[in-house]
Amino acid sequence: MPVSRIPLGQPRFDAAAMAELAARLTPRDYEILTFLYEHRVLTTHQLQRIFFTLPQPTRRRLGILHKLHTITRFRPWTPYGGSSPHHWILGRTGAELLALKADTTIKELGYHPDLAMAISVSTKAAHQIGVNDFFADLHHHARHSDGTAEVRQWWAERRCAKLWGDLARPDAYGRWWEHGKEIDFFLEHDTGSETLAKVTAKLPGYASLAEATGITTPVLLWLPSRAREANLRKLLVHAEVPVATAVHTGLDDGPAGNIWLPLGADQPRLRLAELADAWPHLNRPGQGDTTA
């Protein structure tokens, strides 16, 4: 399905039209637009896990936002038949609304309609979806935790690169809180496409970042199989920053669950929030915080 686009040169909506459109959007709608701006592309399933409960209301609301041109969509080609879920991207009208709300322009916002087409054909789109799956599952868990868990930060690769790209380029930065425990982390979402040597070569950059900022942030390696995890751990005996590994899963509590194994430990695997106790010596944000 082609990505619908509105040319960048199209005149801005007049004030009355924009006011009428804005009045039709809910606070949740604006959150959806903001998430699509920040995280580039989210599937229907991911948006359901973050913002909705059931599939039908999710599809209905996304359909309305699509008809209003606030979001656009595509479906990736699949080589063996079947169909992929809709992948949603911020539309031109949605960018206009976010820009007006922030008292800026879509140019200053960094939006360009060709971005939608670029994402739809990018070879990195699947990797981005994997990263976003991780955080969508955390949001889903938090929403069903009766207030005992919360995603307190989720910064995309683009934002991380602006802040730390000269030293380290994580796939995302997150802050997770559950049952009174809080952990900050950098996420490395591994798909198995890189050699293990390339994965390990990323860690010295995180050590340099810790030295430069005075804040040591653990690195979470999210791996596609137990075999790859075991082989990688053999190469990470002397990591200079705290590292924990786990294998991709959306089952049970997903990445929030007791699946994380810090380097230097054989058992037991810990919940994500429990990693805060695995490295009690860390200089945490709030002690000279340069990330917030």
Side-chain angles (χ1 to χ4, degrees):
M1 179 181 295
V3 177
S4 58
R5 294 187 296 164
I6 300 177
L8 190 62
Q10 178 170 314
R12 292 173 64 94
F13 292 96
D14 61 58
M18 289 300 288
E20 181 180 354
L21 177 58
R24 298 182 63 180
L25 300 188
T26 67
R28 182 176 62 186
D29 293 335
Y30 276 105
E31 282 192 84
I32 291 171
L33 300 184
T34 300
F35 267 58
L36 289 175
Y37 169 68
E38 291 284 345
H39 304 295
R40 298 171 67 86
V41 54
L42 291 159
T43 67
T44 302
H45 182 63
Q46 289 169 349
L47 288 168
Q48 177 186 326
R49 292 179 76 75
I50 297 170
F51 295 107
F52 299 88
T53 301
L54 299 174
Q56 187 174 358
T58 306
R59 292 193 296 268
R60 182 167 57 245
R61 193 60 194 172
L62 294 179
I64 291 172
L65 293 177
H66 183 249
K67 289 179 180 179
L68 294 173
H69 302 291
T70 58
I71 59 178
T72 187
R73 67 191 181 189
F74 69 94
R75 269 184 170 159
W77 176 77
T78 54
Y80 303 110
S83 61
S84 298
H86 278 120
H87 288 46
W88 298 92
I89 302 171
L90 183 66
R92 167 65 186 262
T93 305
E96 290 274 6
L97 289 168
L98 290 182
L100 286 172
K101 193 173 183 180
D103 195 25
T104 186
T105 66
I106 60 169
K107 183 177 181 180
E108 292 170 338
L109 201 65
Y111 176 85
H112 194 284
D114 285 342
L115 178 64
M117 184 62 70
I119 292 173
S120 70
V121 299
S122 173
T123 57
K124 297 181 179 180
H127 180 269
Q128 182 69 62
I129 290 299
V131 174
N132 294 351
D133 265 339
F134 181 98
F135 283 93
D137 285 347
L138 287 183
H139 272 280
H140 177 77
H141 180 74
R143 291 178 63 229
H144 293 82
S145 69
D146 295 324
T148 62
E150 181 183 4
V151 179
R152 292 188 165 176
Q153 295 287 358
W154 173 16
W155 294 358
E157 179 184 17
R158 176 176 52 175
R159 184 171 182 178
C160 293
K162 288 180 180 179
L163 289 170
W164 309 304
D166 56 333
L167 296 173
R169 300 181 69 91
D171 292 323
Y173 162 78
R175 180 177 295 167
W176 173 248
W177 174 86
E178 185 179 35
H179 294 293
K181 299 181 184 295
E182 186 176 80
I183 182 74
D184 292 76
F185 60 88
F186 292 125
L187 179 68
E188 286 286 346
H189 172 64
D190 179 62
T191 63
S193 61
E194 294 182 323
T195 65
L196 293 179
K198 283 189 176 181
V199 176
T200 60
K202 298 175 183 180
L203 294 181
Y206 289 108
S208 298
L209 179 61
E211 183 178 0
T213 61
I215 299 173
T216 302
T217 303
V219 179
L220 304 187
L221 299 175
W222 187 234
L223 300 151
S225 70
R226 284 275 185 242
R228 186 166 173 87
E229 181 188 29
N231 291 330
L232 181 60
R233 290 179 66 87
K234 293 176 184 177
L235 300 177
L236 294 177
V237 177
H238 302 296
E240 297 180 74
V241 291
V243 174
T245 63
V247 175
H248 302 174
T249 181
L251 300 176
D252 299 321
D253 291 341
N258 57 336
I259 61 173
W260 295 98
L261 191 60
L263 286 189
D266 294 325
Q267 290 294 336
R269 290 186 180 259
L270 304 175
R271 295 185 67 81
L272 177 56
E274 291 174 339
L275 291 175
D277 297 329
W279 305 297
H281 62 286
L282 292 186
N283 183 8
R284 300 277 319 288
Q287 306 171 23
D289 187 6
T290 61
T291 63

PDB file of all heavy atoms in Angstrom, residues 63-89:
ATOM      1  N   GLY A  63      -8.244   4.837  12.092  1.00  0.00           N
ATOM      2  CA  GLY A  63      -8.892   5.111  10.812  1.00  0.00           C
ATOM      3  C   GLY A  63      -9.388   6.540  10.724  1.00  0.00           C
ATOM      4  O   GLY A  63      -9.270   7.196   9.675  1.00  0.00           O
ATOM      5  N   ILE A  64      -9.945   7.058  11.815  1.00  0.00           N
ATOM      6  CA  ILE A  64     -10.413   8.449  11.843  1.00  0.00           C
ATOM      7  C   ILE A  64      -9.233   9.409  11.684  1.00  0.00           C
ATOM      8  O   ILE A  64      -9.288  10.366  10.901  1.00  0.00           O
ATOM      9  CB  ILE A  64     -11.180   8.728  13.144  1.00  0.00           C
ATOM     10  CG1 ILE A  64     -12.504   7.961  13.152  1.00  0.00           C
ATOM     11  CG2 ILE A  64     -11.429  10.230  13.323  1.00  0.00           C
ATOM     12  CD1 ILE A  64     -13.237   8.011  14.477  1.00  0.00           C
ATOM     13  N   LEU A  65      -8.168   9.156  12.433  1.00  0.00           N
ATOM     14  CA  LEU A  65      -6.984  10.030  12.333  1.00  0.00           C
ATOM     15  C   LEU A  65      -6.384   9.982  10.927  1.00  0.00           C
ATOM     16  O   LEU A  65      -5.862  10.985  10.435  1.00  0.00           O
ATOM     17  CB  LEU A  65      -5.946   9.605  13.372  1.00  0.00           C
ATOM     18  CG  LEU A  65      -6.332   9.818  14.835  1.00  0.00           C
ATOM     19  CD1 LEU A  65      -5.242   9.282  15.762  1.00  0.00           C
ATOM     20  CD2 LEU A  65      -6.595  11.292  15.133  1.00  0.00           C
ATOM     21  N   HIS A  66      -6.486   8.813  10.298  1.00  0.00           N
ATOM     22  CA  HIS A  66      -5.984   8.688   8.925  1.00  0.00           C
ATOM     23  C   HIS A  66      -6.837   9.499   7.957  1.00  0.00           C
ATOM     24  O   HIS A  66      -6.313  10.189   7.070  1.00  0.00           O
ATOM     25  CB  HIS A  66      -5.978   7.211   8.530  1.00  0.00           C
ATOM     26  CG  HIS A  66      -5.408   6.950   7.176  1.00  0.00           C
ATOM     27  ND1 HIS A  66      -6.180   6.528   6.110  1.00  0.00           N
ATOM     28  CD2 HIS A  66      -4.140   7.063   6.698  1.00  0.00           C
ATOM     29  CE1 HIS A  66      -5.421   6.380   5.042  1.00  0.00           C
ATOM     30  NE2 HIS A  66      -4.189   6.693   5.371  1.00  0.00           N
ATOM     31  N   LYS A  67      -8.158   9.446   8.119  1.00  0.00           N
ATOM     32  CA  LYS A  67      -9.045  10.218   7.243  1.00  0.00           C
ATOM     33  C   LYS A  67      -8.842  11.718   7.414  1.00  0.00           C
ATOM     34  O   LYS A  67      -9.062  12.500   6.479  1.00  0.00           O
ATOM     35  CB  LYS A  67     -10.500   9.851   7.527  1.00  0.00           C
ATOM     36  CG  LYS A  67     -10.893   8.457   7.046  1.00  0.00           C
ATOM     37  CD  LYS A  67     -12.343   8.141   7.365  1.00  0.00           C
ATOM     38  CE  LYS A  67     -12.726   6.750   6.888  1.00  0.00           C
ATOM     39  NZ  LYS A  67     -14.139   6.408   7.213  1.00  0.00           N
ATOM     40  N   LEU A  68      -8.413  12.115   8.604  1.00  0.00           N
ATOM     41  CA  LEU A  68      -8.128  13.530   8.857  1.00  0.00           C
ATOM     42  C   LEU A  68      -6.731  13.929   8.381  1.00  0.00           C
ATOM     43  O   LEU A  68      -6.323  15.083   8.549  1.00  0.00           O
ATOM     44  CB  LEU A  68      -8.263  13.826  10.360  1.00  0.00           C
ATOM     45  CG  LEU A  68      -9.662  13.685  10.950  1.00  0.00           C
ATOM     46  CD1 LEU A  68      -9.626  13.834  12.466  1.00  0.00           C
ATOM     47  CD2 LEU A  68     -10.614  14.709  10.328  1.00  0.00           C
ATOM     48  N   HIS A  69      -5.997  12.969   7.806  1.00  0.00           N
ATOM     49  CA  HIS A  69      -4.640  13.203   7.289  1.00  0.00           C
ATOM     50  C   HIS A  69      -3.637  13.559   8.382  1.00  0.00           C
ATOM     51  O   HIS A  69      -2.571  14.120   8.096  1.00  0.00           O
ATOM     52  CB  HIS A  69      -4.630  14.297   6.210  1.00  0.00           C
ATOM     53  CG  HIS A  69      -5.522  14.002   5.052  1.00  0.00           C
ATOM     54  ND1 HIS A  69      -5.257  12.993   4.139  1.00  0.00           N
ATOM     55  CD2 HIS A  69      -6.703  14.566   4.658  1.00  0.00           C
ATOM     56  CE1 HIS A  69      -6.217  12.950   3.241  1.00  0.00           C
ATOM     57  NE2 HIS A  69      -7.113  13.881   3.525  1.00  0.00           N
ATOM     58  N   THR A  70      -3.965  13.238   9.622  1.00  0.00           N
ATOM     59  CA  THR A  70      -3.006  13.515  10.687  1.00  0.00           C
ATOM     60  C   THR A  70      -1.941  12.424  10.765  1.00  0.00           C
ATOM     61  O   THR A  70      -0.837  12.658  11.260  1.00  0.00           O
ATOM     62  CB  THR A  70      -3.702  13.620  12.055  1.00  0.00           C
ATOM     63  OG1 THR A  70      -4.399  12.393  12.317  1.00  0.00           O
ATOM     64  CG2 THR A  70      -4.688  14.785  12.066  1.00  0.00           C
ATOM     65  N   ILE A  71      -2.281  11.214  10.297  1.00  0.00           N
ATOM     66  CA  ILE A  71      -1.320  10.118  10.238  1.00  0.00           C
ATOM     67  C   ILE A  71      -1.443   9.440   8.884  1.00  0.00           C
ATOM     68  O   ILE A  71      -2.476   9.547   8.207  1.00  0.00           O
ATOM     69  CB  ILE A  71      -1.534   9.087  11.364  1.00  0.00           C
ATOM     70  CG1 ILE A  71      -2.935   8.480  11.306  1.00  0.00           C
ATOM     71  CG2 ILE A  71      -1.298   9.731  12.728  1.00  0.00           C
ATOM     72  CD1 ILE A  71      -3.198   7.414  12.377  1.00  0.00           C
ATOM     73  N   THR A  72      -0.391   8.759   8.486  1.00  0.00           N
ATOM     74  CA  THR A  72      -0.420   7.996   7.240  1.00  0.00           C
ATOM     75  C   THR A  72       0.115   6.604   7.531  1.00  0.00           C
ATOM     76  O   THR A  72       0.571   6.330   8.650  1.00  0.00           O
ATOM     77  CB  THR A  72       0.390   8.694   6.140  1.00  0.00           C
ATOM     78  OG1 THR A  72       0.200   8.007   4.900  1.00  0.00           O
ATOM     79  CG2 THR A  72       1.869   8.754   6.485  1.00  0.00           C
ATOM     80  N   ARG A  73       0.044   5.706   6.549  1.00  0.00           N
ATOM     81  CA  ARG A  73       0.359   4.316   6.849  1.00  0.00           C
ATOM     82  C   ARG A  73       0.913   3.605   5.625  1.00  0.00           C
ATOM     83  O   ARG A  73       0.771   4.049   4.488  1.00  0.00           O
ATOM     84  CB  ARG A  73      -0.901   3.597   7.330  1.00  0.00           C
ATOM     85  CG  ARG A  73      -1.968   3.448   6.257  1.00  0.00           C
ATOM     86  CD  ARG A  73      -3.285   2.968   6.837  1.00  0.00           C
ATOM     87  NE  ARG A  73      -4.283   2.804   5.771  1.00  0.00           N
ATOM     88  CZ  ARG A  73      -5.576   2.565   5.984  1.00  0.00           C
ATOM     89  NH1 ARG A  73      -6.031   2.454   7.224  1.00  0.00           N
ATOM     90  NH2 ARG A  73      -6.415   2.428   4.964  1.00  0.00           N
ATOM     91  N   PHE A  74       1.559   2.460   5.904  1.00  0.00           N
ATOM     92  CA  PHE A  74       1.980   1.558   4.842  1.00  0.00           C
ATOM     93  C   PHE A  74       2.020   0.145   5.405  1.00  0.00           C
ATOM     94  O   PHE A  74       2.010  -0.054   6.623  1.00  0.00           O
ATOM     95  CB  PHE A  74       3.353   1.957   4.273  1.00  0.00           C
ATOM     96  CG  PHE A  74       4.505   1.755   5.233  1.00  0.00           C
ATOM     97  CD1 PHE A  74       5.246   0.582   5.216  1.00  0.00           C
ATOM     98  CD2 PHE A  74       4.861   2.749   6.139  1.00  0.00           C
ATOM     99  CE1 PHE A  74       6.310   0.394   6.091  1.00  0.00           C
ATOM    100  CE2 PHE A  74       5.918   2.570   7.015  1.00  0.00           C
ATOM    101  CZ  PHE A  74       6.650   1.382   6.997  1.00  0.00           C
ATOM    102  N   ARG A  75       2.050  -0.814   4.513  1.00  0.00           N
ATOM    103  CA  ARG A  75       2.207  -2.216   4.905  1.00  0.00           C
ATOM    104  C   ARG A  75       3.447  -2.766   4.212  1.00  0.00           C
ATOM    105  O   ARG A  75       3.513  -2.764   2.987  1.00  0.00           O
ATOM    106  CB  ARG A  75       0.987  -3.040   4.501  1.00  0.00           C
ATOM    107  CG  ARG A  75      -0.086  -3.106   5.570  1.00  0.00           C
ATOM    108  CD  ARG A  75      -1.217  -4.013   5.148  1.00  0.00           C
ATOM    109  NE  ARG A  75      -2.135  -4.274   6.247  1.00  0.00           N
ATOM    110  CZ  ARG A  75      -3.379  -4.689   6.085  1.00  0.00           C
ATOM    111  NH1 ARG A  75      -3.859  -4.879   4.869  1.00  0.00           N
ATOM    112  NH2 ARG A  75      -4.154  -4.895   7.125  1.00  0.00           N
ATOM    113  N   PRO A  76       4.438  -3.231   4.978  1.00  0.00           N
ATOM    114  CA  PRO A  76       5.641  -3.775   4.348  1.00  0.00           C
ATOM    115  C   PRO A  76       5.332  -5.001   3.507  1.00  0.00           C
ATOM    116  O   PRO A  76       4.425  -5.777   3.816  1.00  0.00           O
ATOM    117  CB  PRO A  76       6.542  -4.146   5.542  1.00  0.00           C
ATOM    118  CG  PRO A  76       5.996  -3.370   6.689  1.00  0.00           C
ATOM    119  CD  PRO A  76       4.527  -3.240   6.437  1.00  0.00           C
ATOM    120  N   TRP A  77       6.102  -5.166   2.462  1.00  0.00           N
ATOM    121  CA  TRP A  77       5.997  -6.347   1.617  1.00  0.00           C
ATOM    122  C   TRP A  77       6.483  -7.568   2.386  1.00  0.00           C
ATOM    123  O   TRP A  77       7.463  -7.505   3.138  1.00  0.00           O
ATOM    124  CB  TRP A  77       6.845  -6.154   0.370  1.00  0.00           C
ATOM    125  CG  TRP A  77       6.892  -7.359  -0.535  1.00  0.00           C
ATOM    126  CD1 TRP A  77       5.926  -7.779  -1.384  1.00  0.00           C
ATOM    127  CD2 TRP A  77       7.988  -8.281  -0.662  1.00  0.00           C
ATOM    128  NE1 TRP A  77       6.334  -8.912  -2.047  1.00  0.00           N
ATOM    129  CE2 TRP A  77       7.595  -9.244  -1.623  1.00  0.00           C
ATOM    130  CE3 TRP A  77       9.246  -8.377  -0.061  1.00  0.00           C
ATOM    131  CZ2 TRP A  77       8.432 -10.299  -2.002  1.00  0.00           C
ATOM    132  CZ3 TRP A  77      10.069  -9.428  -0.439  1.00  0.00           C
ATOM    133  CH2 TRP A  77       9.665 -10.369  -1.394  1.00  0.00           C
ATOM    134  N   THR A  78       5.765  -8.676   2.247  1.00  0.00           N
ATOM    135  CA  THR A  78       6.196  -9.922   2.882  1.00  0.00           C
ATOM    136  C   THR A  78       6.509 -10.936   1.791  1.00  0.00           C
ATOM    137  O   THR A  78       5.716 -11.116   0.851  1.00  0.00           O
ATOM    138  CB  THR A  78       5.098 -10.482   3.802  1.00  0.00           C
ATOM    139  OG1 THR A  78       3.885 -10.614   3.066  1.00  0.00           O
ATOM    140  CG2 THR A  78       4.867  -9.554   4.982  1.00  0.00           C
ATOM    141  N   PRO A  79       7.651 -11.614   1.874  1.00  0.00           N
ATOM    142  CA  PRO A  79       8.085 -12.481   0.775  1.00  0.00           C
ATOM    143  C   PRO A  79       7.308 -13.777   0.633  1.00  0.00           C
ATOM    144  O   PRO A  79       7.313 -14.385  -0.420  1.00  0.00           O
ATOM    145  CB  PRO A  79       9.549 -12.761   1.128  1.00  0.00           C
ATOM    146  CG  PRO A  79       9.627 -12.599   2.609  1.00  0.00           C
ATOM    147  CD  PRO A  79       8.642 -11.520   2.940  1.00  0.00           C
ATOM    148  N   TYR A  80       6.630 -14.221   1.688  1.00  0.00           N
ATOM    149  CA  TYR A  80       5.973 -15.530   1.630  1.00  0.00           C
ATOM    150  C   TYR A  80       4.458 -15.440   1.778  1.00  0.00           C
ATOM    151  O   TYR A  80       3.805 -16.318   2.319  1.00  0.00           O
ATOM    152  CB  TYR A  80       6.542 -16.442   2.729  1.00  0.00           C
ATOM    153  CG  TYR A  80       8.028 -16.601   2.629  1.00  0.00           C
ATOM    154  CD1 TYR A  80       8.862 -16.013   3.586  1.00  0.00           C
ATOM    155  CD2 TYR A  80       8.599 -17.306   1.576  1.00  0.00           C
ATOM    156  CE1 TYR A  80      10.245 -16.148   3.488  1.00  0.00           C
ATOM    157  CE2 TYR A  80       9.968 -17.436   1.473  1.00  0.00           C
ATOM    158  CZ  TYR A  80      10.793 -16.858   2.418  1.00  0.00           C
ATOM    159  OH  TYR A  80      12.160 -16.975   2.313  1.00  0.00           O
ATOM    160  N   GLY A  81       3.894 -14.363   1.290  1.00  0.00           N
ATOM    161  CA  GLY A  81       2.454 -14.205   1.384  1.00  0.00           C
ATOM    162  C   GLY A  81       2.044 -13.694   2.744  1.00  0.00           C
ATOM    163  O   GLY A  81       2.855 -13.312   3.576  1.00  0.00           O
ATOM    164  N   GLY A  82       0.747 -13.679   2.981  1.00  0.00           N
ATOM    165  CA  GLY A  82       0.256 -13.132   4.236  1.00  0.00           C
ATOM    166  C   GLY A  82       0.279 -11.612   4.190  1.00  0.00           C
ATOM    167  O   GLY A  82       0.519 -11.004   3.141  1.00  0.00           O
ATOM    168  N   SER A  83       0.043 -10.998   5.309  1.00  0.00           N
ATOM    169  CA  SER A  83       0.032  -9.539   5.337  1.00  0.00           C
ATOM    170  C   SER A  83       0.665  -9.039   6.619  1.00  0.00           C
ATOM    171  O   SER A  83       0.507  -9.637   7.687  1.00  0.00           O
ATOM    172  CB  SER A  83      -1.394  -8.989   5.223  1.00  0.00           C
ATOM    173  OG  SER A  83      -2.183  -9.434   6.320  1.00  0.00           O
ATOM    174  N   SER A  84       1.405  -7.953   6.502  1.00  0.00           N
ATOM    175  CA  SER A  84       1.984  -7.302   7.667  1.00  0.00           C
ATOM    176  C   SER A  84       0.963  -6.346   8.257  1.00  0.00           C
ATOM    177  O   SER A  84       0.038  -5.903   7.566  1.00  0.00           O
ATOM    178  CB  SER A  84       3.233  -6.516   7.255  1.00  0.00           C
ATOM    179  OG  SER A  84       4.221  -7.370   6.738  1.00  0.00           O
ATOM    180  N   PRO A  85       1.114  -5.981   9.534  1.00  0.00           N
ATOM    181  CA  PRO A  85       0.200  -4.998  10.115  1.00  0.00           C
ATOM    182  C   PRO A  85       0.457  -3.625   9.525  1.00  0.00           C
ATOM    183  O   PRO A  85       1.524  -3.364   8.955  1.00  0.00           O
ATOM    184  CB  PRO A  85       0.561  -5.027  11.606  1.00  0.00           C
ATOM    185  CG  PRO A  85       1.992  -5.461  11.623  1.00  0.00           C
ATOM    186  CD  PRO A  85       2.126  -6.440  10.499  1.00  0.00           C
ATOM    187  N   HIS A  86      -0.514  -2.761   9.620  1.00  0.00           N
ATOM    188  CA  HIS A  86      -0.288  -1.391   9.202  1.00  0.00           C
ATOM    189  C   HIS A  86       0.818  -0.774  10.054  1.00  0.00           C
ATOM    190  O   HIS A  86       0.859  -0.952  11.273  1.00  0.00           O
ATOM    191  CB  HIS A  86      -1.574  -0.569   9.346  1.00  0.00           C
ATOM    192  CG  HIS A  86      -2.518  -0.720   8.197  1.00  0.00           C
ATOM    193  ND1 HIS A  86      -3.796  -1.201   8.355  1.00  0.00           N
ATOM    194  CD2 HIS A  86      -2.374  -0.466   6.866  1.00  0.00           C
ATOM    195  CE1 HIS A  86      -4.407  -1.229   7.175  1.00  0.00           C
ATOM    196  NE2 HIS A  86      -3.564  -0.805   6.263  1.00  0.00           N
ATOM    197  N   HIS A  87       1.697  -0.060   9.391  1.00  0.00           N
ATOM    198  CA  HIS A  87       2.739   0.718  10.047  1.00  0.00           C
ATOM    199  C   HIS A  87       2.350   2.187   9.916  1.00  0.00           C
ATOM    200  O   HIS A  87       2.130   2.677   8.800  1.00  0.00           O
ATOM    201  CB  HIS A  87       4.099   0.480   9.386  1.00  0.00           C
ATOM    202  CG  HIS A  87       4.695  -0.872   9.675  1.00  0.00           C
ATOM    203  ND1 HIS A  87       3.965  -2.047   9.597  1.00  0.00           N
ATOM    204  CD2 HIS A  87       5.967  -1.225  10.032  1.00  0.00           C
ATOM    205  CE1 HIS A  87       4.769  -3.067   9.902  1.00  0.00           C
ATOM    206  NE2 HIS A  87       5.974  -2.592  10.169  1.00  0.00           N
ATOM    207  N   TRP A  88       2.285   2.892  11.041  1.00  0.00           N
ATOM    208  CA  TRP A  88       1.768   4.253  11.053  1.00  0.00           C
ATOM    209  C   TRP A  88       2.891   5.271  11.219  1.00  0.00           C
ATOM    210  O   TRP A  88       3.845   5.061  11.973  1.00  0.00           O
ATOM    211  CB  TRP A  88       0.753   4.412  12.187  1.00  0.00           C
ATOM    212  CG  TRP A  88      -0.439   3.523  12.012  1.00  0.00           C
ATOM    213  CD1 TRP A  88      -0.600   2.260  12.504  1.00  0.00           C
ATOM    214  CD2 TRP A  88      -1.626   3.819  11.274  1.00  0.00           C
ATOM    215  NE1 TRP A  88      -1.814   1.740  12.123  1.00  0.00           N
ATOM    216  CE2 TRP A  88      -2.470   2.681  11.359  1.00  0.00           C
ATOM    217  CE3 TRP A  88      -2.059   4.928  10.549  1.00  0.00           C
ATOM    218  CZ2 TRP A  88      -3.716   2.626  10.759  1.00  0.00           C
ATOM    219  CZ3 TRP A  88      -3.309   4.876   9.953  1.00  0.00           C
ATOM    220  CH2 TRP A  88      -4.125   3.740  10.054  1.00  0.00           C
ATOM    221  N   ILE A  89       2.749   6.386  10.491  1.00  0.00           N
ATOM    222  CA  ILE A  89       3.744   7.463  10.482  1.00  0.00           C
ATOM    223  C   ILE A  89       2.986   8.786  10.617  1.00  0.00           C
ATOM    224  O   ILE A  89       1.835   8.911  10.175  1.00  0.00           O
ATOM    225  CB  ILE A  89       4.541   7.449   9.157  1.00  0.00           C
ATOM    226  CG1 ILE A  89       5.239   6.098   8.964  1.00  0.00           C
ATOM    227  CG2 ILE A  89       5.584   8.563   9.124  1.00  0.00           C
ATOM    228  CD1 ILE A  89       5.851   5.930   7.584  1.00  0.00           C
TER     229      ILE A  89
END
